Amino acid sequence: MTAMIQVANLHKTYRMGEIDVQALRGVSFSIMRGEFVAIMGPSGSGKSTLMNLIGCLDTPTQGQYILDGLPVDQIDRNLLAAVRNRKIGFVFQQFNLLPRQTALENVALPLAYMGGISAEERLAYANEMLTLVGLGDRISHRPKELSGGQQQRVAIARALITRPALLLADEPTGNLDSHSSAEIMKLFESLHEQGMTVIIVTHEPEVASHARRVISVRDGLIERDGMPRRPNSHTPGRRRRPSVVDRAAYRVERRMS
Amino acid sequence: MSSIDVSPPAPSPTADPADRIDAAQLAVLEEGGITIGETFTIALASLAANKLRTLLTALGIIIGVAAVVALMAIGRGSQESITAAITANGANLLTVRSGAGSSGSIRGQVGSSQTLTINDAQALADPQQVPSAAYVSPEYNGSAQIVAGSLNVNAQVIGSTEAYPAVHNMTIAGGEFISAADNSSVANVIVLGANIATTLFPDGDALGQAVRVNGQRFRVVGVLDAKGGSGFGSSDDATFVPLSTAQRKLFGGRAIQGGAVLVSSIAIQATDAERVATALSEIELTLREQHGLPADGSADDFSVINQQDILASVTRTTQTLTLFLAAIAAISLLVGGIGIMNIMLVSVRERTREIGLRKALGARESDILLQFMFEALTISLIGALIGLLIGLAIAALVSLSGLITAVPSVDAALLAIGFAMAVGLFFGIAPAQSAARLDPIDALRYE
């Protein structure tokens, strides 16, 4: 089993006016390929800062971060865009879909920034990804015409389309009702079962309980790292079975190569 | 609640120097990325999504370019019509006018005193004295009422000799011009300009008819071709009688003073364009001698006007005027550019989340910069093209109104479009940079 994320002695200090705020004060952990991890913590704990660092949206003040074998802490800001594009699939609380574009166009967007794939191919992959998240019949709907749960699925399809090493979700159910939340969490679980590395940043224990491992952050340090406090009914299995994702991914990979 | 830590055995991240990033990894990250064409498509799509705003933003550029194109077309048109009117009289033309007698240091107005006589004209016509003159046409002008049957018109009457048509580039449509015989016999014959002929004889049978000029009976012996050109004393609106008839019969009281027979002006055509300057000095020398002026450089009591000088000064004036108008129009282009910057800054603010999202999904700073630069440039290009069409339409309308034939030019259009693009580029940079520099974290949180 190889490490997807290796973080060592990570520090992040923000300067707010005259005061230096230490958001992270030396965080170390590893996340293996295929893990399903929740990062928890109250607001101000540093969990958002940690997410920004893991998501390569920000760079650490000090410390080391290796993502999928890539020493990200040494990469300059402009190349980080390429790292985000290829290694990380983001899912946001606000969905962040472009309102004037269809579900299909929204999902295809990251491939445009990846480059080298024609527009028709991009839309074809996007179609496959939307089918994968159960929205094959909603491809030409605009975000406004979709429910919150459906919008978040579009966002997940968009996060998956570049075949990232890591799915990074920031409060993915924060804007959803309980029914949609359950659906989305089920989708994350199924993605995890199919081998995807999933990290969810949340403050809700209910959401964190779906994960197989919980990293709790407080005052810029890791407070606890272990099983969810309320183990859910699923047996943590790493059993791989060929799935829709695998089949779709195989087709996409074959076309890309 | 007991919590059993079963976190996976965390392999402590190695601080091994072997983990340093290698060139191959960097190269993979550097390749690919969005193409410029794709970025342009994104920019177009975002403009298309806000058509009204795009159009309103472009309005400043539209007005600016339309104004520059229309004003430069009108300026050029008026310059060409003035030039045409001047050259219609002959480019090698020199006109001698009496006057400019000086009293003290104050120079009198041209033509303020009558000093040119028929003798001066004869001296200038002498090829010994003025070899550079091809034709010499002494003239005596006045205006009179011309009556034909129940129709009448007030027209310029030019006393002229047979040299007149050659000097002034005029051709006869029917009949013939004033002849030397008409002059020596002080005949009551008249030649009508094209407009006068159609006014007095709408049926077109002017030749041989009788008209009354200041009550005296004249016979129409010729009608001139229409020459075009407006204003500037077009020959189409003039009539011509023998010089002697004008001096002795029509305007006799003024034309003959103390035995000298005066002329109002003498028009001279130089043999060719290169000899205009030579002719000028020959004319001055001859006239000074004629008028008994000492050769010590005292002031002339006549003035010689060179048609080419007039042309040059008129051209300079209209060019300056055209440039001045275009400069004012260009200011509106500049204001249009500020409008673009304004709207683009608002647009960046409005689309902060979109920018943050694009960055999170892999857009580089340069991609965002390009996207917004393309938007600004496309707005100014659209504005310039619409402005060009409106400018051309205004020019066509002005031409249609018949006041001035506006002449739109390619260089004016290119200048306006180029300037508009430069304005878009200049004022697009600041908003595009502010978009490119947005921190993706802040941008994604922006409400």
Side-chain angles (χ1 to χ4, degrees):
Chain A
M1 199 165 24
T2 51
M4 179 60 72
I5 286 174
Q6 287 173 277
V7 163
N9 195 30
L10 216 53
H11 283 75
K12 181 70 187 181
T13 307
Y14 294 110
R15 195 161 178 87
M16 300 186 81
E18 295 291 294
I19 317 148
D20 282 338
V21 179
Q22 283 197 302
L24 288 180
R25 300 186 292 162
V27 171
S28 304
F29 60 86
S30 288
I31 293 175
M32 296 296 124
R33 190 176 292 277
E35 270 199 271
F36 187 176
V37 179
I39 295 176
M40 284 199 75
S43 63
S45 61
K47 75 172 180 317
S48 291
T49 304
L50 185 57
M51 188 209 80
N52 291 334
L53 292 179
I54 291 174
C56 297
L57 291 165
D58 209 349
T59 48
T61 315
Q62 188 195 326
Q64 206 186 358
Y65 173 24
I66 297 168
L67 168 66
D68 200 18
L70 205 63
V72 179
D73 54 287
Q74 297 165 45
I75 295 176
D76 79 79
R77 275 161 52 92
N78 253 320
L79 287 182
L80 276 185
V83 175
R84 290 195 292 269
N85 182 250
R86 288 157 210 204
K87 298 280 184 196
I88 300 165
F90 285 99
V91 178
F92 305 97
Q93 179 175 0
Q94 313 281 355
F95 320 137
N96 280 329
L97 301 175
L98 297 181
R100 292 182 191 275
Q101 299 195 353
T102 63
L104 198 64
E105 290 162 340
N106 266 293
V107 173
L109 186 60
L111 288 182
Y113 286 108
M114 181 184 258
I117 309 159
S118 76
E120 299 83 59
E121 281 179 296
R122 295 203 298 260
L123 293 179
Y125 302 152
N127 198 352
E128 286 182 33
M129 284 300 155
L130 278 171
T131 309
L132 189 77
V133 298
L135 287 176
D137 54 344
R138 295 277 192 281
I139 57 167
S140 33
H141 287 55
R142 286 174 208 287
K144 240 184 262 174
E145 299 154 355
L146 298 169
S147 72
Q150 287 171 331
Q151 288 188 51
Q152 194 60 301
R153 283 185 207 211
V154 173
I156 292 170
R158 180 181 63 193
L160 292 173
I161 197 162
T162 56
R163 312 229 342 97
L166 174 68
L167 198 58
L168 186 58
D170 181 18
E171 302 280 8
T173 59
N175 273 14
L176 298 178
D177 58 37
S178 56
H179 178 70
S180 302
S181 295
E183 275 186 5
I184 292 299
M185 289 318 295
K186 238 168 88 185
L187 184 55
F188 279 122
E189 282 190 28
S190 111
L191 288 168
H192 158 63
E193 277 163 22
Q194 291 160 40
M196 176 63 75
T197 309
V198 180
I199 299 178
I200 292 180
V201 179
T202 183
H203 68 275
E204 288 178 63
E206 165 65 25
V207 172
S209 72
H210 290 264
R212 306 292 181 267
R213 175 183 168 194
V214 175
I215 297 174
S216 300
V217 183
R218 185 181 282 271
D219 300 330
L221 291 167
I222 292 181
E223 186 188 44
R224 182 178 171 279
D225 185 350
M227 296 266 288
R229 283 185 193 276
R230 196 187 62 185
N232 58 36
S233 51
H234 299 282
T235 44
R238 302 219 186 280
R239 207 155 40 83
R240 297 289 312 272
R241 55 193 155 94
S243 64
V244 195
V245 173
D246 284 333
R247 287 200 297 276
Y250 175 70
R251 285 202 297 279
V252 167
E253 204 158 62
R254 217 175 35 176
R255 272 196 234 173
M256 281 174 167
S257 60
Chain B
M1 187 176 166
S2 66
S3 71
I4 315 149
D5 265 26
V6 285
S7 49
S12 66
T14 49
D16 192 337
D19 285 335
R20 300 293 90 182
I21 189 160
D22 60 50
Q25 285 173 314
L26 274 178
V28 168
L29 292 179
E30 272 163 1
E31 76 182 21
I34 192 164
T35 61
I36 288 176
E38 297 270 5
T39 306
F40 188 60
T41 312
I42 292 173
L44 282 190
S46 122
L47 291 179
N50 282 296
K51 288 187 190 70
L52 183 65
R53 190 174 71 184
T54 304
L55 200 68
L56 288 177
T57 312
L59 201 58
I61 299 289
I62 292 174
I63 293 172
V65 171
V68 169
V69 169
L71 287 176
M72 288 188 79
I74 291 167
R76 186 170 298 224
S78 53
Q79 183 183 326
E80 283 189 6
S81 88
I82 292 168
T83 307
I86 293 171
T87 48
N89 290 331
N92 305 340
L93 190 69
L94 292 152
T95 307
V96 184
R97 289 190 187 283
S98 56
S102 58
S103 60
S105 61
I106 300 160
R107 244 174 117 76
Q109 197 190 335
V110 170
S112 60
S113 65
Q114 290 279 11
T115 55
L116 286 181
T117 66
I118 193 76
N119 296 334
D120 294 336
Q122 278 155 6
L124 292 176
D126 180 359
Q128 301 287 311
Q129 298 193 66
V130 188
S132 302
Y135 301 100
V136 175
S137 162
E139 291 151 28
Y140 194 89
N141 300 348
S143 69
Q145 191 171 52
I146 302 168
V147 184
S150 61
L151 299 168
N152 75 88
V153 66
N154 212 337
Q156 198 184 15
V157 178
I158 302 173
S160 46
T161 66
E162 68 281 4
Y164 194 97
V167 171
H168 293 276
N169 287 348
M170 289 189 328
T171 51
I172 305 285
E176 54 193 16
F177 199 74
I178 310 295
S179 66
D182 291 334
N183 251 307
S184 51
S185 65
V186 198
N188 276 16
V189 291
I190 190 164
V191 174
L192 303 180
N195 289 348
I196 302 292
T198 47
T199 306
L200 292 179
F201 301 100
D203 299 335
D205 50 354
L207 275 183
Q209 301 283 334
V211 296
R212 298 191 84 81
V213 181
N214 278 1
Q216 300 179 42
R217 192 183 154 84
F218 279 71
R219 187 167 52 86
V220 178
V221 295
V223 175
L224 294 177
D225 270 328
K227 206 171 169 183
S230 52
F232 267 67
S234 166
S235 61
D236 294 351
D237 294 318
T239 62
F240 304 86
V241 298
L243 179 65
S244 55
T245 310
Q247 288 165 326
R248 292 168 206 282
K249 288 187 179 165
L250 280 175
F251 313 112
R254 287 184 277 135
I256 299 169
Q257 289 178 3
V261 183
L262 299 179
V263 296
S264 10
S265 61
I266 303 168
I268 297 138
Q269 191 173 54
T271 47
D272 58 60
E274 278 87 59
R275 297 188 66 177
V276 169
T278 321
L280 187 72
S281 56
E282 287 167 1
I283 290 163
E284 282 177 344
L285 211 68
T286 308
L287 284 181
R288 288 185 71 89
E289 201 179 299
Q290 277 281 320
H291 294 185
L293 296 170
D296 60 356
S298 65
D300 293 337
D301 60 354
F302 58 89
S303 54
V304 187
I305 301 157
N306 181 347
Q307 203 78 1
Q308 285 174 336
D309 289 349
I310 297 176
L311 197 62
S313 88
V314 166
T315 304
R316 258 199 314 279
T317 310
T318 52
Q319 268 174 351
T320 309
L321 208 66
T322 304
L323 271 180
F324 183 65
L325 290 174
I328 291 174
I331 291 173
S332 74
L333 266 180
L334 214 62
V335 175
I338 295 170
I340 289 184
M341 181 161 73
N342 242 327
I343 299 291
M344 293 297 293
L345 281 171
V346 171
S347 165
V348 168
R349 174 69 60 93
E350 219 178 71
R351 287 150 65 191
T352 297
R353 285 174 69 93
E354 178 196 324
I355 295 162
L357 173 76
R358 287 184 185 279
K359 286 191 148 188
L361 296 185
R364 289 163 297 192
E365 282 191 13
S366 56
D367 298 332
I368 302 291
L369 185 82
L370 262 184
Q371 178 186 335
F372 281 86
M373 285 309 301
F374 278 146
E375 286 191 24
L377 281 177
T378 306
I379 289 174
S380 33
L381 185 64
I382 291 171
L385 292 179
I386 295 176
L388 177 64
L389 290 182
I390 292 177
L392 292 178
I394 291 172
L397 276 179
V398 168
S399 299
L400 219 64
S401 77
L403 288 172
I404 284 171
T405 307
V407 183
S409 60
V410 176
D411 52 345
L414 288 180
L415 183 82
I417 291 173
F419 192 62
M421 297 298 283
V423 159
L425 196 70
F426 183 76
F427 288 104
I429 281 177
Q433 274 183 341
S434 78
R437 286 182 188 154
L438 275 179
D439 184 353
I441 302 164
D442 293 341
L444 280 167
R445 295 235 176 89
Y446 187 84
E447 293 297 329

